[in-house]
Amino acid sequence: MVVVMLDDNYYDLTLFNHPGGNDIINEFKNKDASIAYKSIHLKKTLTKLNPYLVKGEFNVKQKPKFLFNTEFADAIRDLNFKDSNSAPVLWWVRYFIINAMWMYLEYNHWVNPNIINSIILGVTFAGIGLCIGHDGSHYAVSKNKNVNYFMSLYMDVIGFNNKNWFSQHIMQHHLYTNNSKFDPDTKGGEPFFVIDPEERIKDNNHLYVIWMLGFSIVFDIKRLFNMTSKKQIAINLILRFLFFVRIFYSSIINGMIIVFVTGFVLSNLFIISHNYEDVSRNEENMCWYKNQIETSSTYGGPTAGFLTGGLNYQIEHHCFPRMNSMYYPVIHKQLREICKNHKVKYTYFKTVAENINSMFKYLTKKKV
């Protein structure tokens, strides 16, 4: 029985045929999916699900509440457009470039491992996660669910796991951004380093712990068993075994360099987006879009977007997580104007260096 909570009501979706695949529904079994539904389905209502309403008491943990029926929310949602979750030609051009680089560099690593090649391959792996796996896991490459699933498997190519990523990043971080109780990204390397200043037990300046992201994920085999399906667990283990063979067989030292560089690039590009001076944290009972915007930052322009898979447009991404990353520059100016008109703080940095500088000031600030 797959019971999901939506707006304090319970729905038995066991026999419901979800157009994006029932795997998504199963991820929210016995969970509060209210925010996930409203943030993705935009203006659609729950009337289609009325036949699946059920009565009774179910063990579903309450989550923070947000508002979606606001004038500001309507203005933001109007920026979306038809086929925004289908990748344009330029996305596919970048896709083939990254794949060509990956295959060439990994072949070199196999036959002649060296430090320079390992560093460049680590950067390429980060590009795979940012520009391919990330869009795929957000169902933002194609209307075909199988294409999106295939692209999400690129997370496993770089030593991550597409299912764990979906659970932590999409089901938690995106819905409850910067909420220390529900967003796992508010912590990193705990207890040595806690990002959320309200949760810190002491002053900490050792940001290097965050840079170990690659090692903490690649060697965390235990997480691969966090699936209900034995088939999925088997797939997880096989893909991780293949990763270890590909990266460490020819050279353990150079393999370690690849893992470190991948984690270093990804951790820095992810952490700057929600950790900077005057960022909002731990808010509830407000417009969800306002919260997403005031807990995120955007830097640079289309060039940075091309290189980072659109993650420099973090505000745009959090408003439209299913929009293909190539379209964020299209809505950027309009979104900023809407925020200005509604007096919502939109944090923009001209360069990534400015964003990083603000992040360091914020994360090294002494606890008050």
Side-chain angles (χ1 to χ4, degrees), residues 122 208 211-215 255-265:
Y208 65 84
W211 299 340
M212 297 296 111
L213 173 69
F215 296 106
M256 289 293 189
I257 293 175
I258 295 170
V259 173
F260 172 77
V261 172
T262 303
F264 180 86
V265 174

Side-chain angles (χ1 to χ4, degrees), residues 37-100:
Y37 183 91
K38 294 177 182 179
S39 63
I40 293 175
H41 295 86
L42 302 178
K43 291 185 177 182
K44 290 184 179 179
T45 65
L46 294 171
T47 53
K48 285 186 177 181
L49 298 179
N50 284 344
Y52 301 93
L53 268 168
V54 291
K55 294 182 179 180
E57 290 296 326
F58 299 89
N59 185 25
V60 177
K61 188 176 182 179
Q62 291 288 334
K63 296 292 183 67
K65 302 294 183 182
F66 290 99
L67 306 176
F68 284 84
N69 297 322
T70 68
E71 182 181 343
F72 180 65
D74 288 339
I76 295 295
R77 286 191 289 251
D78 285 341
L79 292 178
N80 199 27
F81 52 88
K82 186 179 179 181
D83 298 329
S84 64
N85 63 333
S86 295
V89 174
L90 187 58
W91 190 94
W92 289 103
V93 170
R94 184 182 61 190
Y95 170 79
F96 287 111
I97 291 175
I98 291 175
N99 273 276

Side-chain angles (χ1 to χ4, degrees), residues 128-185:
I128 287 174
L130 294 168
C131 302
I132 302 176
H134 187 249
D135 271 336
S137 65
H138 276 286
Y139 292 79
V141 177
S142 170
K143 291 185 179 298
N144 187 314
K145 63 181 180 182
N146 294 321
V147 173
N148 288 315
Y149 175 68
F150 176 78
M151 295 303 172
S152 73
L153 287 175
Y154 273 84
M155 287 298 187
D156 295 85
V157 167
I158 64 174
F160 285 46
N161 176 258
N162 72 95
K163 290 295 183 181
N164 286 330
W165 176 262
F166 185 91
S167 176
Q168 177 174 323
H169 183 71
I170 298 175
M171 289 180 60
Q172 299 177 72
H173 167 67
H174 262 273
L175 304 185
Y176 312 105
T177 311
N178 280 5
N179 187 302
S180 59
K181 293 181 180 179
F182 299 100
D183 179 4
D185 288 1

Side-chain angles (χ1 to χ4, degrees), residues 5 23 30 54 56 73 92 100 120 135-136 148 176 194 199 214 255 261-262 265 269 333 338 351 361:
M5 174 189 276
D23 285 346
N30 295 329
V54 291
W92 289 103
I120 300 176
D135 271 336
N148 288 315
Y176 312 105
V194 180
E199 295 287 314
V261 172
T262 303
V265 174
L269 289 181
K333 290 183 179 180
I338 291 173
T351 66
K361 288 181 179 179

